[in-house]
Amino acid sequence: MSLTINATKREDQGKGASRRLRRAEQIPAIIYGAGKAPSNITLGIHEITHLLEKEESYTSVLDLMVGKKKEAVIIKDLQRHPAKNIVTHVDFLRVNLKQALVTNIPLHFLGADENESIRLGAILNQFVTSVEVSCLPADLPTSIDVDITNLTLGDHISLTGLNIPKGVTLTALTHGDVEAHDQSVVAVQEAKKMAEVEDDAPVAPETEVAGDEANADNAEGDE
């Protein structure tokens, strides 16, 4: 099921215009990428808040309707009010449906309640909570499940042990030496050994479209 968000084109710019929008329960946003000029738009605060309550909104290709024009986009960046935690600005990245994109997908760990070793006191150590993938927009998963039901004490699952959907590639395993980059994702360990474990998971890069860097900073100086 596709997710749709409605918007209107925005002409007014500047901090004063942004404040007026927010008082009217609207927020400024921008669309960029795919070799097209950036476009300033306005979103309804209630609609975007409702959309963001769905976890899949952060990793899905969205149908952004600007008037009668539909564009395929993903959420590139969100800004929130530091105290109220409400959305104050959204960056959308245009998506070429025929071109691979690179983004981070969350991992969902399943089966902890049924795992016998954990019930007996072992600890589930999650080294990685999301992975960077490359795929066509049509193949983009909203999450990747990791079943740890049958892991016993000392067992682990590495990147090569993940059940990756067809058409999706883990970028960490595309650098030639798979073994060198095949880091542990999750392990069942004795509680007393937890203090000795160092989490060396790399910092996940931001979402990008392969071969296309957006130039939002040059177009949006009003927020």
Side-chain angles (χ1 to χ4, degrees), residues 115-118 122-124 147-157 186-190:
N115 185 287
E116 184 66 22
S117 295
I118 294 175
I123 298 296
L124 183 70
D147 187 357
I148 55 91
T149 305
N150 297 317
L151 290 186
T152 59
L153 191 63
D155 285 348
H156 77 283
I157 298 175
V186 63
V188 175
Q189 300 173 316
E190 291 184 50

Side-chain angles (χ1 to χ4, degrees), residues 26-102:
Q26 297 180 316
I27 61 169
I30 187 172
I31 321 168
Y32 52 83
K36 300 178 181 179
S39 178
N40 297 316
I41 58 173
T42 298
L43 306 173
I45 184 62
H46 298 295
E47 184 177 5
I48 187 64
T49 299
H50 179 68
L51 180 73
L52 295 176
E53 291 174 352
K54 304 179 178 70
E55 183 187 30
E56 60 268 27
S57 300
Y58 298 88
T59 53
S60 295
V61 177
L62 311 175
D63 290 333
L64 179 64
M65 301 295 300
V66 184
K68 296 182 179 181
K69 182 180 179 182
K70 181 170 71 173
E71 293 199 75
V73 300
I74 57 175
I75 295 174
K76 180 68 162 61
D77 188 47
L78 290 171
Q79 296 177 24
R80 295 181 184 272
H81 190 284
K84 300 178 182 179
N85 197 34
I86 58 175
V87 178
T88 58
H89 189 274
V90 184
D91 286 13
F92 292 105
L93 182 66
R94 293 187 183 97
V95 172
N96 184 335
L97 297 179
K98 297 181 180 180
Q99 183 178 346
L101 59 83
V102 177

Side-chain angles (χ1 to χ4, degrees), residues 124-142:
L124 183 70
N125 193 9
Q126 300 174 8
F127 300 102
V128 179
T129 57
S130 66
V131 290
E132 186 183 76
V133 304
S134 174
C135 63
L136 290 173
D139 296 326
L140 184 65
T142 57

Side-chain angles (χ1 to χ4, degrees), residues 102-104 131-132 171 202-208:
V102 177
T103 191
N104 294 303
V131 290
E132 186 183 76
T171 60
V203 176
E206 293 183 348
T207 302
E208 63 184 42

